[in-house]
Amino acid sequence: MSDLTKVTNTTKDNAPLIEFPCDYPIKVLGSADPALHQHVLQVMDTHAPGFDRSKIAIRDSSKGKWQSITVIIRATGKPQLDDIFADLKISPRVKMVL
C-alpha cells in the first residue's frame, strides 16, 4: 500500500461504495461563463492540487447558455469530496454538481 491509507466507505450490507484513493470524475453544470471555468479550477487547485488539467472536458448546451465541466481528480476520501462539492456550490453560476 502507498503512503495513503486505503479507506472504504460501506453501506449497511458492508458492500464497498468507493475505495480511496481513486480517480473520481466531478461534473459541474452552470451558466456558460469564463468565471464558471475559473471557479472550478480554483476549487480543484485548492482541494486536489496537481490534478491533470488535460483531462478537463467542457461541453456547451445547444444554445450556448449552459455549460458542463467535468474534471477527474485523485480523490483521497469523503471529506475531500464533501469540501469540493461545498466550495463549488458557493458560486451563483453553479447550478448542479454531480
Side-chain angles (χ1 to χ4, degrees):
M1 216 180 299
S2 68
D3 293 341
L4 296 173
T5 304
K6 198 172 221 181
V7 177
T8 304
N9 286 344
T10 58
T11 63
K12 287 188 236 178
D13 300 328
N14 289 328
L17 293 173
I18 301 173
E19 285 191 16
F20 294 103
C22 66
D23 287 341
Y24 192 89
I26 297 174
K27 181 178 278 194
V28 180
L29 306 169
S31 304
D33 186 314
L36 174 67
H37 191 252
Q38 276 305 112
H39 177 66
V40 170
L41 291 178
Q42 179 183 0
V43 170
M44 296 306 156
D45 283 337
T46 299
H47 297 288
F51 76 98
D52 188 352
R53 289 177 182 247
S54 71
K55 292 184 179 181
I56 298 172
I58 301 171
R59 299 188 95 173
D60 293 322
S61 66
S62 60
K63 295 185 181 177
K65 182 176 179 182
W66 305 103
Q67 192 171 67
S68 73
I69 302 171
T70 304
V71 179
I72 299 174
I73 64 160
R74 189 72 179 160
T76 58
K78 187 170 179 345
Q80 177 199 33
L81 294 177
D82 290 343
D83 290 345
I84 289 171
F85 277 58
D87 283 357
L88 286 170
K89 292 176 184 178
I90 289 171
S91 172
R93 289 178 178 83
V94 174
K95 301 303 176 199
M96 188 181 309
V97 181
L98 306 169

